[in-house]
């Protein structure tokens, strides 16, 4: 079994979901008392969020590079960033280590293509939806990516940062997000990407008639495939 390197803390709720899913996946695959070999470096979410809001991406990259290097030195065979938004500096982080980075955008795009989805909607933080670093990575695989209209971005941010990162799963917010998914379906989306780990706490496949692509679930599945190959 390869050792999985995790850079987390963005948020800790997201990282906890990664850790649990990786270990459950290994247990289901190998049985008995098996669990995932992993190394986790968890950063301070408040620190990197403040740097993000100040548009200090060199500062963000410095924090995440240091975390990645520590994970590599601890024996990881490959690296995962347990976040969507901070994939903004994925290349800088990858360049700082000699182990491969399992890029979330590539994993999600491959899952969409496997289900013959050609146009997919992205839901996530305001930053992830309003910038192109993640949508461009997905589009590089030949997919068209839709995002909600700008006036809907603040509501998504509120749900993520005021509720989900604190473990609050509120039914009214679920209804709002599902309604937004229906709007994106009407706009031509053939599937929807839950482009923020915490959104998987709120929306399930049973909530939508569109294929739902959960970033955390897909990232974990790809990591398990690599670690157990």
């Amino acid at each position: 079994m390869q050792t999985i390197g995790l850079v987390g803390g963005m948020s800790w709720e997201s990282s906890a979901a990664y850790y649990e899913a990786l270990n459950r996946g290994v247990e289901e695959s190998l049985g008995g008392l098996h669990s995932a070999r992993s190394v986790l470096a968890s950063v301070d979410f408040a620190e990197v969020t403040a740097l993000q809001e100040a548009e200090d991406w060199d500062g963000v990259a410095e924090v995440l590079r240091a975390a990645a290097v520590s994970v590599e030195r601890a024996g990881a065979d490959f690296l995962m960033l347990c976040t969507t938004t901070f994939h903004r500096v994925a290349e800088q982080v990858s360049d700082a280590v000699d182990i491969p980075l399992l890029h979330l955008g590539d994993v999600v795009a491959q899952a969409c293509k496997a289900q013959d989805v050609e146009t997919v909607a992205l839901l996530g933080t305001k930053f992830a939806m309003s910038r192109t670093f993640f949508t461009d990575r997905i589009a590089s695989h030949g997919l068209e990516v839709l995002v909600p209209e700008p006036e809907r971005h603040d509501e998504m941010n509120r749900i993520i940062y005021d509720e989900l990162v604190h473990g609050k799963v509120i039914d009214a917010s679920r209804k709002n997000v599902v309604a937004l998914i229906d709007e994106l379906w009407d706009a031509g989306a053939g599937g929807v990407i839950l482009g923020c780990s915490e959104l998987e706490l709120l929306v399930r496949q049973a909530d939508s008639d569109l294929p739902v692509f959960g970033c955390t679930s897909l990232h974990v599945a790809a990591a398990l495939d690599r670690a157990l190959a």
Side-chain angles (χ1 to χ4, degrees), residues 82-121:
C82 303
T83 172
T84 302
T85 296
F86 294 101
H87 268 76
R88 166 69 173 73
V89 295
E91 290 186 7
Q92 294 97 308
V93 174
S94 181
D95 288 344
V97 295
D98 293 323
I99 56 177
L101 172 70
L102 185 60
H103 197 291
L104 179 59
D106 297 338
V107 169
V108 172
Q110 289 160 8
C112 292
K113 295 183 73 172
Q115 292 198 36
D116 296 323
V117 172
E118 298 179 352
T119 301
V120 66

Side-chain angles (χ1 to χ4, degrees), residues 64 86 97 147 170 184 224 227:
L64 298 190
F86 294 101
V97 295
V147 296
I170 297 173
L184 291 163
L224 290 171

Side-chain angles (χ1 to χ4, degrees), residues 11 13-14 17 84 121-126 128-129 148 155-161 163-165 168-169 173-174 176-178 180-181 192-205 207 212-217:
S11 66
E13 289 278 349
S14 167
T84 302
L122 172 70
L123 297 180
T125 64
K126 180 178 181 178
M129 293 187 295
E155 175 65 6
M156 286 299 304
N157 239 37
R158 185 195 64 76
I159 291 170
I160 292 166
Y161 284 106
E163 297 174 4
L164 296 176
V165 300
K168 299 176 182 178
V169 180
S173 295
R174 178 183 293 107
N176 287 342
V177 174
V178 170
L180 180 55
I181 291 172
V192 60
I193 297 168
L194 302 182
C196 177
S197 301
E198 291 83 3
L199 283 173
E200 289 188 63
L201 302 172
L202 186 69
V203 178
R204 310 282 184 181
Q205 181 59 70
D207 296 315
V212 174
F213 300 97
C215 280
T216 299
S217 298

